[in-house]
């Protein structure tokens, strides 16, 4: 089963950096951005994470939590977060539970060989826990700004203000 626009996202708990876990139902009342990236500490993922990091205050002003997720182990995620000074949790999804829920594992080609990997994708969940928007096959440049603008518009339309 995977999520679809307008439908409630099933509750989940995932292992995150800082010796914590993230549970969707505990964030209810706030919007949630989850961006999936292929691999920690690679150039595109570093740029994408930095773009979200640099806009975090604006996301928070729009009542929005930002989470990054990949199949990397927790140690790799901790190192990535520390090295890049990310100010949001990174989720370690080694078992691919979230990846399957959001259907981001795709057949990819690299150097002529096929393998299964994460398709760079981002999801915006509204304050009621429903999937409001999705971006698949993301190109990094300008993406975090586009997600921010969508989160701000959604926050205004639902009347969530702090």
């Amino acid at each position: 089963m995977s999520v679809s626009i307008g439908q409630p996202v099933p509750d989940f708990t995932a292992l995150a950096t800082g010796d914590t876990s993230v549970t969707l139902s505990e964030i209810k009342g706030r919007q949630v951005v989850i961006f999936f990236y292929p691999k920690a500490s690679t150039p595109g993922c570093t740029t994408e994470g930095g773009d979200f990091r640099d806009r975090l205050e604006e996301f928070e002003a729009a009542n929005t939590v930002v989470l990054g997720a990949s199949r990397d182990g927790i140690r790799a995620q901790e190192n990535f977060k520390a090295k890049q000074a990310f100010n949001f949790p990174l989720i370690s999804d080694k078992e691919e539970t979230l990846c399957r829920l959001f259907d981001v594992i795709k057949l990819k080609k690299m150097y002529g060989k096929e393998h299964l990997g994460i398709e760079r994708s981002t999801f915006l969940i509204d304050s009621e826990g429903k999937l409001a928007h999705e971006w698949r096959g993301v190109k990094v440049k300008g993406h975090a700004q586009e997600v921010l603008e969508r989160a701000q518009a959604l926050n205004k339309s639902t009347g969530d203000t702090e």
Side-chain angles (χ1 to χ4, degrees), residues 26-99:
E26 292 176 3
I27 309 173
K28 204 157 186 155
R30 298 192 67 192
Q31 298 175 161
V32 180
V33 166
I34 303 177
F35 71 96
F36 288 87
Y37 53 92
K39 188 154 181 54
S41 300
T42 56
C45 302
T46 299
T47 300
E48 183 179 26
D51 289 348
F52 279 103
R53 175 197 61 217
D54 297 346
R55 290 165 175 78
L56 190 68
E57 277 186 28
E58 293 173 88
F59 276 106
E60 288 176 344
N63 193 35
T64 305
V65 173
V66 173
L67 304 168
S70 76
R71 299 185 305 177
D72 293 291
I74 197 67
R75 181 173 286 143
Q77 298 291 48
E78 292 285 5
N79 291 341
F80 188 35
K81 181 178 178 174
K83 189 172 181 193
Q84 302 304 325
F86 291 153
N87 44 9
F88 51 84
L90 297 181
I91 291 171
S92 171
D93 191 31
K94 280 180 87 87
E95 272 74 57
E96 300 179 0
T97 310
L98 275 186
C99 290

Side-chain angles (χ1 to χ4, degrees), residues 28 52 72 84-85 108 110 118 127 131 135 138:
K28 204 157 186 155
F52 279 103
D72 293 291
Q84 302 304 325
K108 299 168 90 179
M110 191 173 201
I118 290 180
S127 58
L131 185 62
W135 294 261
V138 166

